[in-house]
Amino acid sequence: MFLLGILGLIVFYQDLGWFPASGRVSNPDAVPGEWHWLLFDSLVHGDLGLFGDTVEHLVLPAFALAIHPALAIGRILRSSIGSALESDYVRTARSKGLKEAQVVVRHVLRNSVNGALWMTGLHLGFMFAGVLVVEAVITL
């Protein structure tokens, strides 16, 4: 996460100039609301410009935090789906005449999502720990 945060700053801020490097908003004086939760406050007050600015400031940290768990969960889900597609109950569902979308949703995904949920639970703790690292990198 540390390296992804630094790489994101180098590529998307320094080289491309697409996203801001640090902070919560570009103009801290324009922050409405008493909750100091900028996404919610800007929507409640109808300030869509501030909402967009807040989202721009969240993209780099969110990407740095979420890319590794998303890849790991995707790998587990892909392998579970691959093994479920070759199973007997999927062959039986197809032989009954169910459409492919029904077979995938009702039989394949329902039985494949268990491993992905377990992996999500494992990565959730790492993501909470990684918030401190990414926060330190992005706010430097």
Side-chain angles (χ1 to χ4, degrees):
M1 291 182 203
F2 177 78
L3 292 177
L4 280 175
I6 297 228
L7 183 68
L9 284 174
I10 291 171
V11 172
F12 295 113
Y13 169 68
Q14 185 177 6
D15 293 343
L16 298 174
W18 289 355
F19 298 111
S22 65
R24 295 172 65 193
V25 289
S26 298
N27 184 8
D29 297 331
V31 178
E34 59 276 354
W35 292 296
H36 300 288
W37 188 27
L38 297 177
L39 288 174
F40 182 72
D41 286 338
S42 61
L43 285 178
V44 166
H45 292 283
D47 191 355
L48 295 180
L50 181 63
F51 180 77
D53 187 39
T54 305
V55 169
E56 281 182 1
H57 281 80
L58 287 175
V59 169
L60 282 178
F63 178 76
L65 281 172
I67 192 69
H68 176 63
L71 293 174
I73 293 165
R75 272 194 310 256
I76 295 295
L77 186 61
R78 184 187 65 191
S79 67
S80 297
I81 286 174
S83 64
L85 283 172
E86 299 170 357
S87 63
D88 292 335
Y89 58 86
V90 171
R91 192 175 317 118
T92 304
R94 286 181 178 147
S95 67
K96 286 181 181 179
L98 290 176
K99 296 178 184 175
E100 189 65 23
Q102 289 177 326
V103 170
V104 169
V105 171
R106 288 185 186 170
H107 298 286
V108 175
L109 282 179
R110 183 178 285 177
N111 292 308
S112 298
V113 78
N114 193 18
L117 287 176
W118 277 98
M119 185 62 77
T120 303
L122 288 174
H123 276 280
L124 196 62
F126 291 122
M127 285 179 63
F128 284 137
V131 166
L132 298 174
V133 173
V134 170
E135 181 74 22
V137 168
I138 299 293
T139 58
L140 287 177

